[in-house]
Amino acid sequence: MARKISDSTVRRLSRYLRRLRTLDRQELKVVSSRELAESTGTTAAQVRKDLSHFGSFGKRGQGYGVTDLRVQLEEILGLTRRWRVAVLGVGRIGSALLGYGFFTQRGFDVVAAFDTDRSMIGRDVAGVRVQPLKELETTFEEQEISIAIIATPVEAAQKAADRAVRAGARAILNFAPIKLRMSPGVAVREMDVTLELEGLCYLVTEAGAATDVKE
Amino acid sequence: MARKISDSTVRRLSRYLRRLRTLDRQELKVVSSRELAESTGTTAAQVRKDLSHFGSFGKRGQGYGVTDLRVQLEEILGLTRRWRVAVLGVGRIGSALLGYGFFTQRGFDVVAAFDTDRSMIGRDVAGVRVQPLKELETTFEEQEISIAIIATPVEAAQKAADRAVRAGARAILNFAPIKLRMSPGVAVREMDVTLELEGLCYLVTEAGAATDVKE
DNA sequence: CCATGTGAATTGCTTCACAGCA
DNA sequence: TGCTGTGAAGCAATTCACATGG
């Protein structure tokens, strides 16, 4: 199948899927590239181009079957299996994630949590027991964990990620405000609220400056 | 000054700034485009090109003054002022955000929180009193809130965002898994953990499939 | 007739390579 | 000499426009 799909395409596929799941729940049968585009913030041509990298899923003159396309996208994204996830660092973010019910619904099982803080260890957070770091390796192996969510303080993030990878993790979702250095085979995505807020500030400031000058 | 800066450039500027703040705290005086690139996951040419859209901040043959460049970036991103933020929806994510100490440090003051849940209203979460939605308009005006963080359930997100904008918000950080429809003048950024996890699944699945075929 | 699927055109981003200057 | 700043080249992504087929 097609090679080297861009990051932005994958992001959009995920958005299409999110929308399709809603449409499917509402028992809508058919959707057009235009409708899908409007509800995900892109263009109809973009939707068709994105999908065309993987095959032809629509019927000319009609559109796409909602359930069918949903299933196709789930296959493309690798979501026909369940994924086992561990949370490293059970502070505010870690706890919020452990309690986030949507994960299970979407195929992600948070099966383990780790922390170094003695007062946290042994506690039950949203049904998951907080384990000491020294149990990381055995738990990752036993539970076949492939995704590690880094929610530690920034100083501990790189070490935690390295250790997760050595223990078998193949993907890292990083909440710590630092660029992790990982070997090429490991997938990494970063989530940094401050970064997003700063992006918004830029846009608001620019918009203000632009109107000052132009209008 | 330069027009139409791309989203990816703004994101990188924010990363450079994040790094520069660390270097500044460590009292490093000078940094080269290469060093900045390595610690933020890009290339030296990219760093120089990004900065060149706004001026020339370096010294040829030496590099960039750490403090100087930090201040320049703060100005470019609009971070020389403080920004007042409200959180809409005080569930798990909302609470975690309210307790996130970094905000204050980085120029963001979370000054208000809203919820519809009676049992939440009036409660103090990390020093902020949870208000009923009906007080939104007056609080936004009185407190001059320009950024709204949407942390409501997905069904309530669009309405909450609309209301925040009508009350004066100029930027939205959206944690709900839905594409918000906003008028063009409003800046929006989306944070969806599931979306990021799905992106990771694609990469892991692809990597697996690629090695199956090739190696 | 209508919406998909897709080469071709275009736009925009990144990388290159080197002139310019401390 | 060394690293910045920047036009020009190269590459990737998006948009266009239309042939295709239900």
Side-chain angles (χ1 to χ4, degrees):
Chain A
M1 214 172 265
R3 246 20 20 198
K4 203 60 232 154
I5 299 302
S6 79
D7 214 60
S8 17
T9 299
V10 177
R11 284 203 146 72
R12 282 191 302 267
L13 291 178
S14 212
R15 289 205 174 83
Y16 304 154
L17 176 57
R18 191 170 74 182
R19 182 62 184 156
L20 285 163
R21 282 169 162 159
T22 307
L23 293 174
D24 210 7
R25 237 180 295 117
Q26 296 169 356
E27 310 209 12
L28 268 283
K29 295 299 172 212
V30 176
V31 68
S32 69
S33 56
R34 190 177 44 75
E35 291 171 290
L36 213 43
E38 276 171 13
S39 55
T40 56
T42 182
T43 64
Q46 184 72 77
V47 171
R48 296 200 300 276
K49 179 66 77 177
D50 286 340
L51 297 175
S52 78
H53 292 121
F54 301 93
S56 354
F57 308 117
K59 291 187 199 54
R60 293 176 194 238
Q62 338 261 100
Y64 301 88
V66 170
T67 310
D68 177 51
L69 188 54
R70 197 208 71 214
V71 172
Q72 296 283 1
L73 285 179
E74 284 171 350
E75 258 165 40
I76 291 167
L77 292 169
L79 303 171
T80 47
R81 50 167 287 198
R82 297 194 69 80
W83 293 84
R84 299 164 87 68
V85 179
V87 172
L88 278 64
V90 190
R92 292 179 194 278
I93 296 171
S95 310
L97 289 170
L98 284 165
Y100 190 54
F102 268 89
F103 283 156
T104 316
Q105 225 181 88
R106 293 293 175 86
F108 300 99
D109 296 312
V110 183
V111 294
F114 300 90
D115 207 301
T116 48
D117 183 351
R118 294 235 162 166
S119 65
M120 285 304 300
I121 291 166
R123 269 169 54 179
D124 180 293
V125 179
V128 180
R129 187 176 58 86
V130 180
Q131 296 175 259
L133 221 53
K134 69 161 186 273
E135 294 176 10
L136 188 144
E137 283 75 16
T138 46
T139 305
F140 266 61
E141 195 182 337
E142 279 170 21
Q143 300 270 16
E144 297 182 2
I145 291 165
S146 33
I147 302 178
I149 301 184
I150 307 295
T152 64
V154 60
E155 322 81 69
Q158 181 68 55
K159 278 194 179 167
D162 288 340
R163 195 160 167 185
V165 170
R166 256 183 283 118
R170 304 181 60 193
I172 302 283
L173 183 58
N174 177 32
F175 279 85
I178 186 179
K179 173 86 192 174
L180 294 178
R181 293 152 188 270
M182 290 281 120
S183 66
V186 181
V188 183
R189 290 259 188 131
E190 189 183 317
M191 298 204 79
D192 184 337
V193 189
T194 310
L195 218 111
E196 301 300 323
L197 282 176
E198 288 178 356
L200 290 173
C201 293
Y202 172 79
L203 292 170
V204 171
T205 308
E206 268 310 283
T211 39
D212 284 355
V213 176
K214 282 178 151 186
E215 284 160 19
Chain B
M1 215 172 264
R3 240 38 359 210
K4 205 58 235 160
I5 298 303
S6 79
D7 214 59
S8 18
T9 299
V10 177
R11 286 202 145 73
R12 284 191 301 266
L13 291 178
S14 213
R15 291 206 173 84
Y16 305 154
L17 175 57
R18 191 170 76 184
R19 181 62 184 154
L20 285 163
R21 282 169 162 159
T22 307
L23 293 174
D24 209 7
R25 236 179 296 116
Q26 295 169 358
E27 310 209 9
L28 270 283
K29 295 299 172 211
V30 176
V31 68
S32 69
S33 56
R34 189 178 45 74
E35 291 171 288
L36 213 42
E38 277 172 13
S39 55
T40 56
T42 184
T43 64
Q46 185 72 78
V47 171
R48 296 201 299 276
K49 179 64 79 177
D50 285 340
L51 297 176
S52 78
H53 292 121
F54 301 93
S56 354
F57 309 116
K59 292 189 199 51
R60 294 177 195 236
Q62 337 262 101
Y64 301 89
V66 170
T67 309
D68 177 51
L69 187 55
R70 197 207 71 215
V71 172
Q72 296 283 0
L73 285 180
E74 283 170 351
E75 258 166 40
I76 290 167
L77 291 169
L79 302 171
T80 46
R81 48 166 287 197
R82 296 193 70 80
W83 292 84
R84 298 164 87 69
V85 179
V87 172
L88 277 64
V90 191
R92 291 179 194 279
I93 296 171
S95 310
L97 289 169
L98 284 166
Y100 191 52
F102 268 89
F103 283 156
T104 316
Q105 223 181 91
R106 292 295 173 84
F108 299 99
D109 295 313
V110 184
V111 294
F114 300 90
D115 207 301
T116 48
D117 183 351
R118 294 232 164 169
S119 66
M120 285 304 299
I121 290 168
R123 274 181 35 191
D124 180 294
V125 179
V128 180
R129 187 176 59 86
V130 180
Q131 296 174 257
L133 221 55
K134 68 161 188 272
E135 294 176 10
L136 188 144
E137 284 74 15
T138 46
T139 306
F140 265 62
E141 196 182 338
E142 279 170 22
Q143 299 271 15
E144 296 183 0
I145 291 165
S146 34
I147 302 178
I149 301 184
I150 306 296
T152 65
V154 61
E155 322 80 71
Q158 180 68 56
K159 277 193 181 169
D162 288 340
R163 195 160 167 185
V165 169
R166 256 183 284 116
R170 305 182 59 194
I172 302 283
L173 183 59
N174 177 32
F175 279 84
I178 187 179
K179 174 85 193 175
L180 295 178
R181 293 153 188 269
M182 291 281 120
S183 65
V186 181
V188 183
R189 291 261 187 129
E190 190 182 316
M191 297 205 79
D192 185 336
V193 188
T194 310
L195 218 111
E196 301 300 324
L197 281 176
E198 288 178 357
L200 290 173
C201 293
Y202 172 78
L203 292 170
V204 170
T205 308
E206 268 311 282
T211 39
D212 285 354
V213 176
K214 282 177 151 185
E215 284 160 21

